[in-house]
Amino acid sequence: MDKDNMDIIVSNLSKSFQAVKAVDDISFEVKTGELFGFLGPNGAGKTTTIRMITGLSKPDSGTIITAGIDCSHNPKAAQHLIGVVPDESNLYPELTGFQNLCFCASLYGMGKAEREQEARKLLQAFDLSKAADRKFGGYSKGMKRKLTIAAGIIHKPRVLFLDEPTTGIDVASARALRIMIKDLHKQGTTIFLTTHYIEEAERLCDRIAFIVSGKIVATDTVQNLLKHHEGKHFLQVTHQGRNADIAERLSASFAHLSFSFSKDNTFRVESSEPINITPLIMCLEELGIDVSEAKRITPSLEDVFVRITGLEADAMRKDKEKQGGAK
Amino acid sequence: MKKWIAAWNILLKDVRTYYLKPPNISWGIIFPLAWTGMFLIRSGSGLDSIPALLPGLMAISILFGTTSMMAVTVTFEKKNSSFDRLLLAPISFDLLMLAKTSGAIFFGMINAVIPVLLASFISDIRVASWPLLILAVFLIATVSTFLGLLIAIAVREVFEAQTLSNFFRFPMIFLCGLFLPVSKLPIFIRPLSYILPLTYGVDTMRGLITGGNFMPITLSFAVLTAFCIIIFGLNKHFIKKRWIT
């Protein structure tokens, strides 16, 4: 491991809240200029990890090195090099968009002329120029997220922490934010992105760590993670009606296949051999279940996530629905 | 230099966002007026009693103004997570606390000026030393603001901040010699008076305005300064303990 090329090195980091182990002995590195995804369901420990790395929370144990600075005992040591976009849009409701950006820039010691120039530039880049003089409290959710991201980057941080940046906003705003994140990445900013949107992580990140119940269960590039499914065959079946015995019957009849069931009347079939659809459909018809669609699918990161974590992707979808998130 | 830019802008933001709001300006005027009226009615001795009442009025105005503003604004910012922005700023906790409290200290001092102005119109106020009076006002405002921050650290909700503030403030105004000189309090209560910073502030101002202090002014200044340092240290300790969890 070349430490000079690493912007974040986390070793054996742990944090408990009373009896709950929120983060359990995790270790990972983020390379300089990398877009690193931290993927896991709600309560997995993503935000706690960010809070510890940025100095908002004190680890029980472990070391944190940010941009070459050991922050384990002095969490403020690297704060001038980082930008943080929290999961909540936490700017000041009484200040306008422009005032909020100028204030955030001033916290990093930027002079008046410089911060006003940067604020105007970012408001334009984020398509918020027209709302610059409106109070932040009156912004829509999407506008709030955009301005919060602008506030996180106004001082041009070397390392940017984005905590669930697209959660709870509409599809168009989420798409616009992803483009902005890609642009920042292209400009060389190291980005640590937490999300529970598997597709988002797949689209944006160079490398991904899966975190479940405070533990990192896998860390790799998207390509390498998908390699686990190379040579495997997948089939997705959508059906009408549900028979309680369906899982048991299919597993018994097709022992060479593995099935994973969702609650939305679909199930997936996985096999190392090409899957013969006809007997499967006949079996379902015998059970009184109408098949409305059966299609071969290319394995996605979601499949990898389900296989590695043992969590159904449904758990992540529920998170999305609860928060009214965009796909 | 960069750190001072941050600190100055924290102060400016607070002044713009909280202290210059019309409700707070009216609070700063109405509150001392209300206390003045109440004291005058209670004393029954008319305008002649104004110089004797003034130290108490100033102290109460400072105490209520600073603790309310500090406890409520910080709790509000903690509640909506905007305080995290300040904790993430690359400035020391000491400077952050000074920046965050300086607005309330200034607000408290302004609150003290209003009774003085009112009193000067209706009575003959003679102050032994204006610079010492300003210093006393500054120290009372500082110690009260730091107490307000201590309350903000202890609570999570804005209404809790108000409740806890009153839990401290009301016993303090009864025990610090405002209504009854400390020497006339029951002997077993007096030790409580001596651990309250307001006792020293009121006594100092009383000494400077009427000459009726029972402790040396230099001692009171020293004790008030010590209170400021101790409560500042406690704030720093508890911020690290409770907010960097």
Side-chain angles (χ1 to χ4, degrees), chain A residues 15 51 54-58 76 79-80 88 90-92 94 103 106-110 115 148, chain B residues 2 5-6 9-10 13 17 21 77 80-82 84-91 243-245:
Chain A
K15 176 78 183 172
R51 288 182 71 84
T54 57
L56 285 177
S57 187
K58 201 174 162 188
K76 293 206 137 299
Q79 281 184 334
H80 61 294
E88 287 175 75
N90 68 345
L91 290 166
Y92 297 89
E94 286 296 307
F103 175 67
S106 75
L107 293 177
Y108 293 85
M110 286 169 71
R115 61 181 182 249
T148 308
Chain B
K2 284 187 171 184
I5 290 177
N9 279 280
I10 291 169
K13 192 270 297 169
T17 314
K21 291 283 171 190
E77 288 191 6
N80 71 10
S81 301
S82 49
D84 283 353
R85 296 206 161 268
L86 307 181
L87 292 173
L88 285 167
I91 57 172
W243 289 352
I244 312 291
T245 52

mmCIF file of all heavy atoms in Angstrom, chain A residues 15 51 54-58 76 79-80 88 90-92 94 103 106-110 115 148, chain B residues 2 5-6 9-10 13 17 21 77 80-82 84-91 243-245:
data_model
loop_
_atom_site.group_PDB
_atom_site.id
_atom_site.type_symbol
_atom_site.label_atom_id
_atom_site.label_comp_id
_atom_site.label_asym_id
_atom_site.label_seq_id
_atom_site.Cartn_x
_atom_site.Cartn_y
_atom_site.Cartn_z
ATOM 1 N N LYS A 15 -16.863 2.005 16.969
ATOM 2 C CA LYS A 15 -17.660 2.963 17.733
ATOM 3 C C LYS A 15 -18.936 2.291 18.218
ATOM 4 O O LYS A 15 -19.664 1.676 17.430
ATOM 5 C CB LYS A 15 -18.023 4.151 16.825
ATOM 6 C CG LYS A 15 -18.923 5.180 17.472
ATOM 7 C CD LYS A 15 -18.145 6.062 18.406
ATOM 8 C CE LYS A 15 -19.013 7.051 19.132
ATOM 9 N NZ LYS A 15 -18.290 7.774 20.163
ATOM 10 N N ARG A 51 -18.787 10.758 10.411
ATOM 11 C CA ARG A 51 -18.668 11.679 11.552
ATOM 12 C C ARG A 51 -17.336 11.459 12.290
ATOM 13 O O ARG A 51 -16.731 12.404 12.761
ATOM 14 C CB ARG A 51 -19.853 11.517 12.511
ATOM 15 C CG ARG A 51 -21.152 12.078 11.924
ATOM 16 C CD ARG A 51 -22.317 11.952 12.886
ATOM 17 N NE ARG A 51 -22.210 12.842 14.019
ATOM 18 C CZ ARG A 51 -22.583 14.120 14.032
ATOM 19 N NH1 ARG A 51 -23.093 14.654 12.952
ATOM 20 N NH2 ARG A 51 -22.445 14.853 15.108
ATOM 21 N N THR A 54 -14.444 12.869 10.025
ATOM 22 C CA THR A 54 -14.420 14.334 9.901
ATOM 23 C C THR A 54 -14.253 15.035 11.251
ATOM 24 O O THR A 54 -14.137 16.257 11.285
ATOM 25 C CB THR A 54 -15.718 14.837 9.234
ATOM 26 O OG1 THR A 54 -16.837 14.398 9.992
ATOM 27 C CG2 THR A 54 -15.832 14.347 7.816
ATOM 28 N N GLY A 55 -14.271 14.284 12.325
ATOM 29 C CA GLY A 55 -14.021 14.890 13.634
ATOM 30 C C GLY A 55 -15.271 15.283 14.398
ATOM 31 O O GLY A 55 -15.193 15.958 15.410
ATOM 32 N N LEU A 56 -16.430 14.850 13.928
ATOM 33 C CA LEU A 56 -17.676 15.171 14.641
ATOM 34 C C LEU A 56 -18.037 14.104 15.662
ATOM 35 O O LEU A 56 -18.974 14.264 16.430
ATOM 36 C CB LEU A 56 -18.837 15.326 13.647
ATOM 37 C CG LEU A 56 -18.861 16.617 12.835
ATOM 38 C CD1 LEU A 56 -20.013 16.600 11.850
ATOM 39 C CD2 LEU A 56 -18.978 17.837 13.738
ATOM 40 N N SER A 57 -17.316 13.024 15.621
ATOM 41 C CA SER A 57 -17.584 11.941 16.558
ATOM 42 C C SER A 57 -16.248 11.319 16.955
ATOM 43 O O SER A 57 -15.316 11.282 16.148
ATOM 44 C CB SER A 57 -18.490 10.913 15.881
ATOM 45 O OG SER A 57 -18.905 9.950 16.796
ATOM 46 N N LYS A 58 -16.202 10.864 18.186
ATOM 47 C CA LYS A 58 -14.940 10.329 18.699
ATOM 48 C C LYS A 58 -14.933 8.801 18.600
ATOM 49 O O LYS A 58 -15.843 8.167 19.158
ATOM 50 C CB LYS A 58 -14.813 10.758 20.165
ATOM 51 C CG LYS A 58 -13.426 10.741 20.699
ATOM 52 C CD LYS A 58 -13.453 11.326 22.100
ATOM 53 C CE LYS A 58 -12.204 10.941 22.842
ATOM 54 N NZ LYS A 58 -12.274 11.311 24.247
ATOM 55 N N LYS A 76 -9.255 17.917 14.597
ATOM 56 C CA LYS A 76 -9.306 19.196 13.879
ATOM 57 C C LYS A 76 -8.126 19.363 12.913
ATOM 58 O O LYS A 76 -8.125 20.283 12.096
ATOM 59 C CB LYS A 76 -9.332 20.361 14.874
ATOM 60 C CG LYS A 76 -10.620 20.422 15.701
ATOM 61 C CD LYS A 76 -10.902 21.816 16.156
ATOM 62 C CE LYS A 76 -12.324 22.249 16.033
ATOM 63 N NZ LYS A 76 -12.948 22.300 14.784
ATOM 64 N N GLN A 79 -9.108 19.389 9.213
ATOM 65 C CA GLN A 79 -10.421 19.943 8.831
ATOM 66 C C GLN A 79 -10.325 21.024 7.755
ATOM 67 O O GLN A 79 -11.302 21.268 7.057
ATOM 68 C CB GLN A 79 -11.158 20.468 10.072
ATOM 69 C CG GLN A 79 -11.812 19.336 10.869
ATOM 70 C CD GLN A 79 -12.620 19.818 12.046
ATOM 71 O OE1 GLN A 79 -12.371 20.882 12.584
ATOM 72 N NE2 GLN A 79 -13.586 19.013 12.474
ATOM 73 N N HIS A 80 -9.165 21.648 7.616
ATOM 74 C CA HIS A 80 -9.025 22.661 6.557
ATOM 75 C C HIS A 80 -8.942 22.028 5.173
ATOM 76 O O HIS A 80 -9.076 22.714 4.167
ATOM 77 C CB HIS A 80 -7.793 23.538 6.835
ATOM 78 C CG HIS A 80 -6.505 22.769 6.862
ATOM 79 N ND1 HIS A 80 -6.212 21.831 7.827
ATOM 80 C CD2 HIS A 80 -5.440 22.804 6.033
ATOM 81 C CE1 HIS A 80 -5.021 21.317 7.593
ATOM 82 N NE2 HIS A 80 -4.533 21.885 6.519
ATOM 83 N N GLU A 88 -28.372 15.684 6.075
ATOM 84 C CA GLU A 88 -29.435 16.690 6.181
ATOM 85 C C GLU A 88 -28.911 17.995 5.595
ATOM 86 O O GLU A 88 -27.747 18.312 5.760
ATOM 87 C CB GLU A 88 -29.745 16.965 7.654
ATOM 88 C CG GLU A 88 -30.480 15.870 8.363
ATOM 89 C CD GLU A 88 -30.610 16.209 9.842
ATOM 90 O OE1 GLU A 88 -31.427 17.065 10.183
ATOM 91 O OE2 GLU A 88 -29.856 15.626 10.634
ATOM 92 N N ASN A 90 -28.235 21.256 6.164
ATOM 93 C CA ASN A 90 -28.184 21.947 7.463
ATOM 94 C C ASN A 90 -27.653 23.375 7.378
ATOM 95 O O ASN A 90 -26.938 23.819 8.262
ATOM 96 C CB ASN A 90 -27.364 21.122 8.451
ATOM 97 C CG ASN A 90 -25.899 21.075 8.060
ATOM 98 O OD1 ASN A 90 -25.551 21.411 6.935
ATOM 99 N ND2 ASN A 90 -25.045 20.669 8.966
ATOM 100 N N LEU A 91 -28.002 24.076 6.306
ATOM 101 C CA LEU A 91 -27.586 25.483 6.237
ATOM 102 C C LEU A 91 -28.550 26.326 7.070
ATOM 103 O O LEU A 91 -29.505 25.802 7.647
ATOM 104 C CB LEU A 91 -27.527 25.936 4.785
ATOM 105 C CG LEU A 91 -26.378 25.289 3.992
ATOM 106 C CD1 LEU A 91 -26.553 25.494 2.508
ATOM 107 C CD2 LEU A 91 -25.031 25.805 4.450
ATOM 108 N N TYR A 92 -28.309 27.629 7.091
ATOM 109 C CA TYR A 92 -29.078 28.501 7.986
ATOM 110 C C TYR A 92 -30.346 29.006 7.289
ATOM 111 O O TYR A 92 -30.255 29.724 6.290
ATOM 112 C CB TYR A 92 -28.214 29.674 8.443
ATOM 113 C CG TYR A 92 -27.034 29.193 9.239
ATOM 114 C CD1 TYR A 92 -25.835 28.858 8.621
ATOM 115 C CD2 TYR A 92 -27.126 29.012 10.616
ATOM 116 C CE1 TYR A 92 -24.762 28.373 9.346
ATOM 117 C CE2 TYR A 92 -26.056 28.534 11.348
ATOM 118 C CZ TYR A 92 -24.883 28.213 10.714
ATOM 119 O OH TYR A 92 -23.819 27.716 11.424
ATOM 120 N N GLU A 94 -32.440 31.236 7.928
ATOM 121 C CA GLU A 94 -32.688 32.683 7.928
ATOM 122 C C GLU A 94 -31.792 33.442 6.944
ATOM 123 O O GLU A 94 -32.039 34.603 6.643
ATOM 124 C CB GLU A 94 -32.464 33.248 9.339
ATOM 125 C CG GLU A 94 -33.563 32.912 10.322
ATOM 126 C CD GLU A 94 -34.887 33.530 9.941
ATOM 127 O OE1 GLU A 94 -34.918 34.743 9.729
ATOM 128 O OE2 GLU A 94 -35.882 32.794 9.841
ATOM 129 N N PHE A 103 -20.948 32.698 4.091
ATOM 130 C CA PHE A 103 -20.638 32.379 5.483
ATOM 131 C C PHE A 103 -19.796 31.097 5.564
ATOM 132 O O PHE A 103 -18.791 31.044 6.277
ATOM 133 C CB PHE A 103 -21.919 32.230 6.303
ATOM 134 C CG PHE A 103 -21.655 31.777 7.707
ATOM 135 C CD1 PHE A 103 -20.983 32.593 8.601
ATOM 136 C CD2 PHE A 103 -22.049 30.513 8.144
ATOM 137 C CE1 PHE A 103 -20.697 32.174 9.896
ATOM 138 C CE2 PHE A 103 -21.769 30.079 9.431
ATOM 139 C CZ PHE A 103 -21.099 30.911 10.308
ATOM 140 N N SER A 106 -16.320 31.739 4.632
ATOM 141 C CA SER A 106 -15.588 32.507 5.645
ATOM 142 C C SER A 106 -15.069 31.599 6.766
ATOM 143 O O SER A 106 -14.055 31.891 7.390
ATOM 144 C CB SER A 106 -16.476 33.611 6.231
ATOM 145 O OG SER A 106 -17.432 33.064 7.117
ATOM 146 N N LEU A 107 -15.779 30.499 7.015
ATOM 147 C CA LEU A 107 -15.334 29.570 8.065
ATOM 148 C C LEU A 107 -13.969 28.966 7.729
ATOM 149 O O LEU A 107 -13.263 28.462 8.604
ATOM 150 C CB LEU A 107 -16.350 28.444 8.268
ATOM 151 C CG LEU A 107 -17.723 28.851 8.837
ATOM 152 C CD1 LEU A 107 -18.647 27.650 8.918
ATOM 153 C CD2 LEU A 107 -17.567 29.485 10.216
ATOM 154 N N TYR A 108 -13.627 28.987 6.432
ATOM 155 C CA TYR A 108 -12.330 28.451 6.003
ATOM 156 C C TYR A 108 -11.333 29.589 5.728
ATOM 157 O O TYR A 108 -10.343 29.395 5.042
ATOM 158 C CB TYR A 108 -12.521 27.540 4.788
ATOM 159 C CG TYR A 108 -13.299 26.307 5.183
ATOM 160 C CD1 TYR A 108 -14.693 26.332 5.197
ATOM 161 C CD2 TYR A 108 -12.663 25.156 5.611
ATOM 162 C CE1 TYR A 108 -15.425 25.236 5.626
ATOM 163 C CE2 TYR A 108 -13.377 24.050 6.025
ATOM 164 C CZ TYR A 108 -14.761 24.093 6.043
ATOM 165 O OH TYR A 108 -15.472 23.004 6.468
ATOM 166 N N GLY A 109 -11.678 30.768 6.218
ATOM 167 C CA GLY A 109 -10.747 31.886 6.149
ATOM 168 C C GLY A 109 -10.693 32.603 4.817
ATOM 169 O O GLY A 109 -9.766 33.376 4.569
ATOM 170 N N MET A 110 -11.669 32.366 3.937
ATOM 171 C CA MET A 110 -11.633 33.043 2.630
ATOM 172 C C MET A 110 -12.020 34.519 2.790
ATOM 173 O O MET A 110 -12.977 34.841 3.498
ATOM 174 C CB MET A 110 -12.591 32.348 1.648
ATOM 175 C CG MET A 110 -12.053 31.008 1.150
ATOM 176 S SD MET A 110 -13.280 30.024 0.266
ATOM 177 C CE MET A 110 -13.459 30.942 -1.247
ATOM 178 N N ARG A 115 -14.669 35.038 -1.491
ATOM 179 C CA ARG A 115 -15.828 34.182 -1.180
ATOM 180 C C ARG A 115 -17.070 34.618 -1.959
ATOM 181 O O ARG A 115 -17.874 33.781 -2.369
ATOM 182 C CB ARG A 115 -16.085 34.097 0.319
ATOM 183 C CG ARG A 115 -16.396 35.356 1.039
ATOM 184 C CD ARG A 115 -16.613 35.076 2.539
ATOM 185 N NE ARG A 115 -16.962 36.283 3.242
ATOM 186 C CZ ARG A 115 -16.189 36.916 4.120
ATOM 187 N NH1 ARG A 115 -15.002 36.443 4.396
ATOM 188 N NH2 ARG A 115 -16.594 38.014 4.722
ATOM 189 N N THR A 148 -26.414 22.858 -0.326
ATOM 190 C CA THR A 148 -25.607 22.212 0.723
ATOM 191 C C THR A 148 -24.327 21.631 0.117
ATOM 192 O O THR A 148 -23.256 21.701 0.728
ATOM 193 C CB THR A 148 -26.428 21.122 1.443
ATOM 194 O OG1 THR A 148 -27.659 21.709 1.867
ATOM 195 C CG2 THR A 148 -25.706 20.578 2.657
ATOM 196 N N LYS B 2 -6.651 33.828 8.993
ATOM 197 C CA LYS B 2 -7.793 33.087 8.443
ATOM 198 C C LYS B 2 -8.763 32.683 9.537
ATOM 199 O O LYS B 2 -9.969 32.673 9.336
ATOM 200 C CB LYS B 2 -7.293 31.835 7.704
ATOM 201 C CG LYS B 2 -6.701 32.127 6.344
ATOM 202 C CD LYS B 2 -6.376 30.862 5.604
ATOM 203 C CE LYS B 2 -6.005 31.185 4.175
ATOM 204 N NZ LYS B 2 -5.772 29.988 3.379
ATOM 205 N N ILE B 5 -10.882 35.560 10.519
ATOM 206 C CA ILE B 5 -11.942 35.817 9.517
ATOM 207 C C ILE B 5 -13.148 34.940 9.869
ATOM 208 O O ILE B 5 -14.294 35.394 9.883
ATOM 209 C CB ILE B 5 -11.453 35.498 8.073
ATOM 210 C CG1 ILE B 5 -10.414 36.530 7.628
ATOM 211 C CG2 ILE B 5 -12.631 35.460 7.091
ATOM 212 C CD1 ILE B 5 -9.807 36.273 6.256
ATOM 213 N N ALA B 6 -12.855 33.675 10.175
ATOM 214 C CA ALA B 6 -13.937 32.743 10.535
ATOM 215 C C ALA B 6 -14.664 33.236 11.789
ATOM 216 O O ALA B 6 -15.901 33.317 11.814
ATOM 217 C CB ALA B 6 -13.358 31.350 10.765
ATOM 218 N N ASN B 9 -16.798 36.333 11.240
ATOM 219 C CA ASN B 9 -18.012 36.062 10.462
ATOM 220 C C ASN B 9 -19.050 35.251 11.242
ATOM 221 O O ASN B 9 -20.238 35.368 10.978
ATOM 222 C CB ASN B 9 -17.658 35.389 9.131
ATOM 223 C CG ASN B 9 -17.210 36.415 8.110
ATOM 224 O OD1 ASN B 9 -18.024 37.078 7.487
ATOM 225 N ND2 ASN B 9 -15.902 36.597 7.996
ATOM 226 N N ILE B 10 -18.580 34.442 12.179
ATOM 227 C CA ILE B 10 -19.533 33.742 13.063
ATOM 228 C C ILE B 10 -20.287 34.781 13.892
ATOM 229 O O ILE B 10 -21.508 34.734 14.030
ATOM 230 C CB ILE B 10 -18.803 32.710 13.963
ATOM 231 C CG1 ILE B 10 -18.277 31.540 13.120
ATOM 232 C CG2 ILE B 10 -19.748 32.182 15.052
ATOM 233 C CD1 ILE B 10 -17.331 30.606 13.866
ATOM 234 N N LYS B 13 -22.657 36.776 11.615
ATOM 235 C CA LYS B 13 -23.817 35.952 11.247
ATOM 236 C C LYS B 13 -24.821 35.903 12.397
ATOM 237 O O LYS B 13 -26.036 36.041 12.188
ATOM 238 C CB LYS B 13 -23.335 34.539 10.883
ATOM 239 C CG LYS B 13 -24.339 33.639 10.209
ATOM 240 C CD LYS B 13 -25.175 32.814 11.145
ATOM 241 C CE LYS B 13 -24.359 31.847 11.962
ATOM 242 N NZ LYS B 13 -25.158 31.247 13.048
ATOM 243 N N THR B 17 -28.485 37.220 12.234
ATOM 244 C CA THR B 17 -29.542 36.205 12.287
ATOM 245 C C THR B 17 -30.381 36.297 13.556
ATOM 246 O O THR B 17 -31.572 36.024 13.518
ATOM 247 C CB THR B 17 -28.922 34.784 12.212
ATOM 248 O OG1 THR B 17 -27.959 34.776 11.188
ATOM 249 C CG2 THR B 17 -29.959 33.728 11.904
ATOM 250 N N LYS B 21 -32.787 40.995 15.219
ATOM 251 C CA LYS B 21 -34.182 40.706 14.867
ATOM 252 C C LYS B 21 -35.098 41.594 15.716
ATOM 253 O O LYS B 21 -34.843 41.773 16.914
ATOM 254 C CB LYS B 21 -34.512 39.233 15.142
ATOM 255 C CG LYS B 21 -33.803 38.284 14.202
ATOM 256 C CD LYS B 21 -34.477 38.269 12.872
ATOM 257 C CE LYS B 21 -33.626 37.493 11.881
ATOM 258 N NZ LYS B 21 -34.032 37.592 10.535
ATOM 259 N N GLU B 77 -29.465 25.783 16.864
ATOM 260 C CA GLU B 77 -28.485 25.387 15.841
ATOM 261 C C GLU B 77 -28.057 23.927 16.011
ATOM 262 O O GLU B 77 -27.764 23.252 15.032
ATOM 263 C CB GLU B 77 -27.257 26.306 15.876
ATOM 264 C CG GLU B 77 -27.577 27.685 15.344
ATOM 265 C CD GLU B 77 -26.348 28.547 15.102
ATOM 266 O OE1 GLU B 77 -25.218 28.049 15.228
ATOM 267 O OE2 GLU B 77 -26.543 29.736 14.794
ATOM 268 N N ASN B 80 -31.031 21.781 14.530
ATOM 269 C CA ASN B 80 -31.116 21.630 13.068
ATOM 270 C C ASN B 80 -29.752 21.302 12.446
ATOM 271 O O ASN B 80 -29.573 21.412 11.232
ATOM 272 C CB ASN B 80 -31.774 22.849 12.405
ATOM 273 C CG ASN B 80 -30.901 24.079 12.415
ATOM 274 O OD1 ASN B 80 -29.721 24.007 12.748
ATOM 275 N ND2 ASN B 80 -31.461 25.211 12.051
ATOM 276 N N SER B 81 -28.829 20.891 13.280
ATOM 277 C CA SER B 81 -27.504 20.397 12.848
ATOM 278 C C SER B 81 -26.600 21.459 12.225
ATOM 279 O O SER B 81 -25.508 21.131 11.776
ATOM 280 C CB SER B 81 -27.628 19.234 11.851
ATOM 281 O OG SER B 81 -28.329 18.195 12.404
ATOM 282 N N SER B 82 -27.050 22.710 12.158
ATOM 283 C CA SER B 82 -26.175 23.718 11.549
ATOM 284 C C SER B 82 -24.959 24.002 12.436
ATOM 285 O O SER B 82 -23.937 24.478 11.945
ATOM 286 C CB SER B 82 -26.933 25.009 11.228
ATOM 287 O OG SER B 82 -27.673 25.445 12.320
ATOM 288 N N ASP B 84 -23.077 21.818 13.518
ATOM 289 C CA ASP B 84 -22.020 20.922 13.032
ATOM 290 C C ASP B 84 -21.082 21.647 12.073
ATOM 291 O O ASP B 84 -19.896 21.334 11.997
ATOM 292 C CB ASP B 84 -22.629 19.705 12.313
ATOM 293 C CG ASP B 84 -23.175 18.684 13.294
ATOM 294 O OD1 ASP B 84 -22.971 18.860 14.503
ATOM 295 O OD2 ASP B 84 -23.810 17.716 12.840
ATOM 296 N N ARG B 85 -21.621 22.611 11.317
ATOM 297 C CA ARG B 85 -20.778 23.380 10.383
ATOM 298 C C ARG B 85 -19.672 24.102 11.138
ATOM 299 O O ARG B 85 -18.549 24.205 10.658
ATOM 300 C CB ARG B 85 -21.600 24.420 9.625
ATOM 301 C CG ARG B 85 -22.618 23.816 8.754
ATOM 302 C CD ARG B 85 -23.019 24.666 7.577
ATOM 303 N NE ARG B 85 -23.656 23.778 6.616
ATOM 304 C CZ ARG B 85 -23.031 23.168 5.647
ATOM 305 N NH1 ARG B 85 -21.765 23.388 5.431
ATOM 306 N NH2 ARG B 85 -23.668 22.336 4.849
ATOM 307 N N LEU B 86 -20.042 24.619 12.317
ATOM 308 C CA LEU B 86 -19.053 25.353 13.111
ATOM 309 C C LEU B 86 -18.035 24.385 13.710
ATOM 310 O O LEU B 86 -16.854 24.692 13.791
ATOM 311 C CB LEU B 86 -19.748 26.152 14.220
ATOM 312 C CG LEU B 86 -20.875 27.090 13.774
ATOM 313 C CD1 LEU B 86 -21.452 27.839 14.967
ATOM 314 C CD2 LEU B 86 -20.379 28.076 12.738
ATOM 315 N N LEU B 87 -18.533 23.211 14.118
ATOM 316 C CA LEU B 87 -17.611 22.223 14.692
ATOM 317 C C LEU B 87 -16.656 21.681 13.627
ATOM 318 O O LEU B 87 -15.569 21.207 13.945
ATOM 319 C CB LEU B 87 -18.401 21.062 15.321
ATOM 320 C CG LEU B 87 -19.222 21.411 16.566
ATOM 321 C CD1 LEU B 87 -20.084 20.225 16.994
ATOM 322 C CD2 LEU B 87 -18.332 21.839 17.723
ATOM 323 N N LEU B 88 -17.077 21.744 12.351
ATOM 324 C CA LEU B 88 -16.218 21.266 11.259
ATOM 325 C C LEU B 88 -15.252 22.344 10.769
ATOM 326 O O LEU B 88 -14.339 22.047 9.995
ATOM 327 C CB LEU B 88 -17.078 20.807 10.074
ATOM 328 C CG LEU B 88 -17.794 19.466 10.221
ATOM 329 C CD1 LEU B 88 -18.837 19.287 9.142
ATOM 330 C CD2 LEU B 88 -16.792 18.318 10.181
ATOM 331 N N ALA B 89 -15.477 23.577 11.183
ATOM 332 C CA ALA B 89 -14.605 24.669 10.728
ATOM 333 C C ALA B 89 -13.205 24.493 11.319
ATOM 334 O O ALA B 89 -13.064 24.096 12.478
ATOM 335 C CB ALA B 89 -15.177 26.012 11.165
ATOM 336 N N PRO B 90 -12.176 24.789 10.523
ATOM 337 C CA PRO B 90 -10.803 24.561 11.017
ATOM 338 C C PRO B 90 -10.335 25.652 11.982
ATOM 339 O O PRO B 90 -9.362 26.341 11.740
ATOM 340 C CB PRO B 90 -9.973 24.560 9.725
ATOM 341 C CG PRO B 90 -10.762 25.358 8.763
ATOM 342 C CD PRO B 90 -12.202 25.231 9.128
ATOM 343 N N ILE B 91 -11.095 25.831 13.061
ATOM 344 C CA ILE B 91 -10.686 26.763 14.117
ATOM 345 C C ILE B 91 -10.772 26.026 15.450
ATOM 346 O O ILE B 91 -11.545 25.073 15.581
ATOM 347 C CB ILE B 91 -11.546 28.047 14.161
ATOM 348 C CG1 ILE B 91 -13.036 27.727 14.336
ATOM 349 C CG2 ILE B 91 -11.339 28.882 12.912
ATOM 350 C CD1 ILE B 91 -13.898 28.970 14.567
ATOM 351 N N TRP B 243 -20.815 16.894 22.595
ATOM 352 C CA TRP B 243 -21.100 17.167 21.181
ATOM 353 C C TRP B 243 -20.189 16.412 20.234
ATOM 354 O O TRP B 243 -20.537 16.190 19.093
ATOM 355 C CB TRP B 243 -21.029 18.676 20.914
ATOM 356 C CG TRP B 243 -22.178 19.416 21.524
ATOM 357 C CD1 TRP B 243 -23.283 18.857 22.115
ATOM 358 C CD2 TRP B 243 -22.361 20.825 21.618
ATOM 359 N NE1 TRP B 243 -24.125 19.841 22.563
ATOM 360 C CE2 TRP B 243 -23.584 21.055 22.272
ATOM 361 C CE3 TRP B 243 -21.606 21.911 21.210
ATOM 362 C CZ2 TRP B 243 -24.071 22.320 22.528
ATOM 363 C CZ3 TRP B 243 -22.087 23.182 21.465
ATOM 364 C CH2 TRP B 243 -23.309 23.385 22.106
ATOM 365 N N ILE B 244 -18.987 16.082 20.691
ATOM 366 C CA ILE B 244 -18.109 15.245 19.863
ATOM 367 C C ILE B 244 -18.244 13.842 20.447
ATOM 368 O O ILE B 244 -17.367 13.361 21.144
ATOM 369 C CB ILE B 244 -16.643 15.734 19.898
ATOM 370 C CG1 ILE B 244 -16.573 17.234 19.667
ATOM 371 C CG2 ILE B 244 -15.786 14.984 18.892
ATOM 372 C CD1 ILE B 244 -16.928 17.710 18.284
ATOM 373 N N THR B 245 -19.384 13.212 20.205
ATOM 374 C CA THR B 245 -19.673 11.936 20.887
ATOM 375 C C THR B 245 -19.246 10.741 20.047
ATOM 376 O O THR B 245 -19.177 10.814 18.861
ATOM 377 C CB THR B 245 -21.167 11.815 21.182
ATOM 378 O OG1 THR B 245 -21.873 12.042 19.978
ATOM 379 C CG2 THR B 245 -21.584 12.803 22.228
#
